[in-house]
Amino acid sequence: GDSVTQMEGPVTLSEEAFLTINCTYTATGYPSLFWYVQYPGEGLQLLLKATKADDKGSNKGFEATYRKETTSFHLEKGSVQVSDSAVYFCALPNTGFQKLVFGTGTRLLVSP
Amino acid sequence: DVKVTQSSRYLVKRTGEKVFLECVQDMDHENMFWYRQDPGLGLRLIYFSYDVKMKEKGDIPEGYSVSREKKERFSLILESASTNQTSMYLCASGRDGGETQYFGPGTRLLVL
């Protein structure tokens, strides 16, 4: 079945460091791909998405490129802030398109 | 803005109690979902509903039931709470045919 694999955390960085969180997927066809973020004490919210191969999703300085050759959708940010500390989830819709399949989440901790 | 609200942020119950978790969305979405979130396991789908009075099992429905009597409200019921149901419960909604889900803030349930 469809699945998403994320790198394990926590990822610990200093402010202004470069961030990469790896995500690879297994799916039938070329589904949309998502990154959701969960700030402390809150529910998940959509961070960015890409709907087809080679698309780049971006929001709040974060970017991710849909790479079908490597079945990857890695999340990047050039300069992280303390306020980016959160748990990040990679996700894709399952073949029924009514449900999302989530990765296990990667916790990011940014220190001043 | 889409708003998804959950009846409680924190809940403490005793083993064997019947527990009701309520979720309300204000965007007239057809689809609603209940997930549980556990460390190292990410989000796992318990049940979802694509219309009033309609429900489908997710990946881990055992020990849970749901009710959707009105379009905006989706309830999760733990018939007889057990300690292994201690978890964070997240509700989400989305429109029919859409892929984005909108999450509530979550209910952290502790079963003693």
Side-chain angles (χ1 to χ4, degrees), chain B residues 60-83:
Chain B
I60 51 163
E62 296 78 19
Y64 303 94
S65 62
V66 290
S67 172
R68 191 157 180 211
E69 297 296 319
K70 294 186 177 181
K71 190 175 185 180
E72 67 271 18
R73 189 179 298 270
F74 191 35
S75 302
L76 180 69
I77 304 153
L78 286 66
E79 296 290 344
S80 177
S82 63
T83 54

Side-chain angles (χ1 to χ4, degrees), chain A residues 44-104:
Chain A
L44 279 70
Q45 56 185 273
L46 180 66
L47 178 61
L48 55 82
K49 69 177 184 180
T51 56
K52 61 184 188 295
D54 300 324
D55 258 6
K56 178 183 285 188
S58 62
N59 186 26
K60 299 183 180 179
F62 291 88
E63 292 184 340
T65 301
Y66 189 158
R67 302 214 184 272
K68 66 178 182 181
E69 301 84 4
T70 53
T71 61
S72 66
F73 193 53
H74 304 323
L75 183 68
E76 297 181 334
K77 187 173 186 183
S79 175
V80 293
Q81 305 300 312
V82 173
S83 57
D84 294 326
S85 297
V87 181
Y88 293 82
F89 292 90
C90 188
L92 56 78
N94 78 344
T95 51
F97 295 106
Q98 300 280 40
K99 299 184 284 184
L100 288 175
V101 175
F102 287 89
T104 53

Side-chain angles (χ1 to χ4, degrees), chain A residues 32 36 38 41 43-44 98, chain B residues 9 31 33 37 99 101 103-104:
Chain A
S32 297
Y36 280 80
Q38 184 180 34
L44 279 70
Q98 300 280 40
Chain B
R9 294 298 300 270
N31 299 334
F33 308 83
Q37 181 181 9
E99 296 173 324
Q101 292 184 14
F103 284 81

